[in-house]
Structure formats: structure tokens, C-alpha cells
């Protein structure tokens, strides 16, 4: 069946429908990773977004039960050059087409995704609609009159607390749209993980007597999550805090800094980041459309620790007076390299040092 992607500037890309037979609207973003379409599709940070994959062949190793990053994907759609209907991999349990149908997500194949990516790089990310059958700009233009929602974090966050038991430190994971990869890394280090909703208060967190706090990734504009700021401000002097992606941006906002929207974001599995203290360059997995304004950090107590090699934007900060640090990229990868995985070990060391300090 014919399916068309219409962008809000009037540009159209015509291809073939796969996945669910639904029409939808979302923010069109591109991802440059060569593999990991299942993890991308199920990453809560892609809530309300139409994902354009630049790799030309998608679906060739199928979908399996283990690699989901959330139980219910919230992406609005998937746009590819060519979709494979006959995957070949011993772990595969379903095709990409069947998986999209299962979660009611439409797909579009047969379009020049690299041309589309160049368009978005030139003009910036924008909203798009997927429409089935014949359509014209006149028939779809009115669909852009409605703004996209701003409650993505509320929709992807857990609604109630739950615990993953372990014999090590107790970590409070604040779920702003956490990938399961973060949980896996904490469990791998024998942590007892208490997963808490995005709007939890500092008092509620402290009732669990955690040894450290993890602020997760998540979708949307960090300024749409105001309830997190007093939480972070209250906990920073008390407990070690490690923020990832959205968690990193929220630490900056809670400290008095500012964030801004990038023209087309960082989404891929090969973004180089330099650690300023050592000069070491790490290849990282990234997925964000907003960044911390470095000029606004001057009076916050935060200093830049990591910087993106490609565009110089802030990729990591630490607090000069509190046991708090954060990175804009994904040390848990999935998909992507594990070059930055040692940041979880640094967090564990910070937790142990704080426990010893408190016990003295």
C-alpha cells in the first residue's frame, strides 16, 4: 500500500507501507547507527518521534525477546530505505513488520532516507505525518495545526515504585523514561535497584534510604519536567547522583543553568566525546535533541567534564561541591559501543566513598 511522509514545510516522500495500518504525526528525527533498530524503536526517549534510519537495509536480523529497552515502544513510526521480510538470525523470533503491527506503529519503506536526512540536517528536525493512499499538501496541511504533546515523560515513566533485589548498594533509579540497559548495568554490579516514578519527591526517595541516585534518560524537552528540579536540588548535597541524557540536562536546570534545542540533535552510535581532564576520546551512543548551554554554567557550581568532538557541545558535567556528575550520552549503549561503560564503575566508587564518609 502507498504511504507518504509529509513534512511541515510541504516536502513529501512517497514509499510503501509496512507495520501497522495507521496514520500518525510526530517529530521526524534521523539515527545514523548501522545496527540496533530494535533498541532504537523501543527506547522511551523516542516517544512521539518518527525515526529515520540512514542504514539502507533494516530488519535483516529480525527482532528477539531480549533486546527490547522497554515493554511498550512509544515511537510514532519508522522510516527506512529497505525493509527485510526474511530475517536470518538464530535469536530472531519475529520480523520487524510483525513487531510494528503488534505495537500499532506504522512503517514507511522505499524512500531515500539519506536524502531525507540531508533535508533535516539543512533545515532542522520538524514534524511529519504518515498518510496512507493518495494525498496532497492541501489535504494534509491542516494536520499540522495541532501541536505535539509535552507530557512524554509522564507517559513513559513507571506509575509505581518497584524493586530489583541485590546484595550491593541500594540505588534509587528515577524513571524519566529509563532504558532497561541502565537497570541491567546496575544489576550487573549487584545493586539493589529501587525504580521510582518521575514525579517522586525527595522525601519519598529518602524513605528508601538509598546509597545513591540515578537519573535516567527520557524523551522531550527537559523544561517540561519541572517536578524533577526540587527533587534534584534537595538530593544533591546528600547523596551521590549520576545523570544520563535527560538526567544530565535536569541536573543542569536544577543547578540554575539553561538548556536549548539542537537543530537536528545527536542520534547515533559513533559520536566521539573528549574527556577534558585526560584528553581521552570515547566513541559513544547518543540520542538527544537538547543540550546544556555552557555559558549558563558559570555560577552553578557545575563544570564541564566532557565535550562533543563534532560540534563542541557539553557532553558531561560534575559538581564542584556535591557528589554529582552526569553525561549527555549513553554509557549503557544498547545499541552502540561500550567504551563509556566504566562510568557506572565510577558511580559505584562514588557511592562507596560516600558511605565510608557517612559512616565515619
Amino acid at each position: 500500500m502507498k504511504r507518504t511522509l509529509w513534512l511541515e514545510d510541504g516536502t513529501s516522500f512517497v514509499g510503501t507501507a509496512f507495520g501497522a495500518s495507521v496514520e500518525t504525526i510526530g517529530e521526524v528525527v534521523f539515527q545514523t547507527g548501522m545496527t540496533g533498530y530494535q533498541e532504537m524503536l523501543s527506547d522511551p526517549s523516542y516517544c512521539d518521534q518518527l525515526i529515520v534510519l540512514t542504514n539502507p537495509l533494516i530488519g535483516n536480523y529480525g527482532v528477539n525477546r531480549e533486546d527490547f529497552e522497554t515493554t511498550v515502544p512509544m515511537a510514532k513510526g519508522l522510516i527506512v530505505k529497505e525493509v527485510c521480510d526474511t530475517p536470518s538470525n538464530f535469536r530472531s523470533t519475529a520480523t520487524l513488520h510483525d513487531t510494528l503491527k503488534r505495537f500499532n506503529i506504522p512503517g514507511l519503506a522505499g524512500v531515500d532516507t539519506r536524502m531525507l536526512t540531508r533535508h533535516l540536517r539543512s533545515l532542522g528536525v520538524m514534524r511529519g505525518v504518515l498518510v496512507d493512499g493518495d494525498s496532497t499538501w492541501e489535504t494534509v496541511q491542516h494536520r499540522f495545526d495541532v501541536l505535539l504533546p509535552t507530557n512524554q515523560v509522564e507517559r513513559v515513566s513507571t506509575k509505581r515504585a518497584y524493586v530489583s533485589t541485590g546484595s550491593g548498594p541500594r540505588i534509587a533509579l528515577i524513571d524519566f523514561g529509563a532504558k532497561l540497559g541502565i537497570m541491567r548495568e546496575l544489576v550487573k554490579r549487584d545493586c539493589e535497584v529501587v525504580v521510582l516514578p518521575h514525579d517522586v519527591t525527595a522525601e519519598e526517595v529518602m524513605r528508601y534510604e538509598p546509597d545513591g541516585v540515578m537519573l535516567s534518560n527520557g524523551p522531550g524537552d527537559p523544561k517540561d519536567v519541572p517536578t524533577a528540579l526540587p527533587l534534584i536540588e534537595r538530593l544533591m548535597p546528600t547523596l551521590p547522583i549520576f545523570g544520563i541524557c535527560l538526567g544530565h540536562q535536569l541536573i543542569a536546570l536544577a543547578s540554575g543553568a539553561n538548556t536549548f534545542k539542537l537543530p537536528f540533535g545527536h542520534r547515533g552510535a559513533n559520536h566521539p566525546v573528549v574527556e577534558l581532564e585526560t584528553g581521552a576520546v570515547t566513541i559513544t551512543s547518543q540520542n538527544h535533541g537538547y543540550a546544556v548551554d555552557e555559558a549558563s554554567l558559570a555560577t552553578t557550581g557545575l563544570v564541564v567534564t566532557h565535550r562533543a568532538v563534532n560540534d563542541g557541545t557539553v557532553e558531561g558535567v560534575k559538581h564542584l561541591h556535591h557528589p554529582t556528575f552526569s553525561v549527555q550520552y549513553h554509557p549503557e549503549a544498547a545499541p552502540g559501543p561500550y567504551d563509556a561503560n566504566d562510568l557506572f564503575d565510577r558511580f559505584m566508587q562514588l557511592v562507596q566513598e560516600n558511605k565510608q564518609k557517612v559512616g565515619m
Side-chain angles (χ1 to χ4, degrees), residues 262-266 272 288 307-315:
L262 294 163
F264 47 81
H266 298 175
H288 61 276
R307 194 184 305 282
V309 173
N310 291 336
D311 63 7
T313 52
V314 176
E315 288 287 342

Side-chain angles (χ1 to χ4, degrees), residues 14 61 69 104 113 126 187 195 216 229 267 301 316:
V14 181
Y61 55 85
E69 287 297 318
N104 202 36
T113 52
M126 61 186 77
V187 170
V195 184
S216 83
L229 306 189
R267 297 178 180 88

Side-chain angles (χ1 to χ4, degrees), residues 16-35:
T16 304
F18 73 102
S21 297
V22 295
E23 299 182 0
T24 191
I25 182 172
E27 184 182 47
V28 185
V29 301
F30 63 87
Q31 220 280 1
T32 59
M34 297 287 286
T35 60

Side-chain angles (χ1 to χ4, degrees), residues 45-215:
S45 295
Y46 283 112
C47 179
D48 288 345
Q49 293 181 329
L50 299 166
I51 310 169
V52 180
L53 301 182
T54 58
N55 193 49
L57 178 60
I58 301 297
N60 51 310
Y61 55 85
V63 175
N64 64 74
R65 298 173 59 184
E66 291 79 25
D67 289 343
F68 282 103
E69 287 297 318
T70 189
T71 53
V72 181
M74 298 292 286
K76 282 290 187 174
L78 192 66
I79 302 167
V80 304
K81 170 65 175 176
E82 181 181 350
V83 62
C84 176
D85 291 326
T86 55
S88 177
N89 187 281
F90 73 98
R91 298 174 69 226
S92 176
T93 57
T95 66
L96 182 57
H97 166 73
D98 290 338
T99 301
L100 290 180
K101 286 188 65 177
R102 173 186 172 192
F103 293 110
N104 202 36
I105 299 173
L108 172 65
V111 300
D112 189 337
T113 52
R114 298 193 180 188
M115 178 187 292
L116 174 53
T117 297
R118 289 172 66 90
H119 188 79
L120 297 175
R121 278 184 59 90
S122 299
L123 300 179
V125 297
M126 61 186 77
R127 292 174 299 163
V129 295
L130 288 176
V131 181
D132 290 342
D134 293 324
S135 58
T136 64
W137 176 241
E138 287 70 25
T139 61
V140 302
Q141 187 175 8
H142 70 281
R143 302 192 183 195
F144 294 103
D145 294 339
V146 180
L147 297 177
L148 293 177
T150 59
N151 65 339
Q152 288 91 351
V153 168
E154 177 185 348
R155 287 154 52 203
V156 300
S157 174
T158 183
K159 300 301 184 287
R160 59 183 180 83
Y162 62 94
V163 179
S164 175
T165 58
S167 59
R170 178 178 296 170
I171 304 300
L173 171 58
I174 314 302
D175 178 14
F176 300 110
K179 294 169 61 180
L180 292 177
I182 295 176
M183 171 77 82
R184 286 192 291 265
E185 291 300 329
L186 294 173
V187 170
K188 188 187 302 181
R189 289 162 176 82
D190 296 323
C191 294
E192 179 182 36
V193 185
V194 182
V195 184
L196 298 168
H198 72 98
D199 55 355
V200 67
T201 66
E203 291 70 26
E204 290 168 335
V205 171
M206 295 304 292
R207 287 179 198 150
Y208 288 94
E209 301 182 351
D211 299 307
V213 176
M214 173 75 69
L215 305 176

Side-chain angles (χ1 to χ4, degrees), residues 347-359:
F347 179 49
M348 291 296 99
Q349 182 178 354
L350 197 62
V351 168
Q352 293 298 337
E353 290 173 355
N354 191 69
K355 288 180 66 175
Q356 294 172 4
K357 180 180 177 181
V358 172

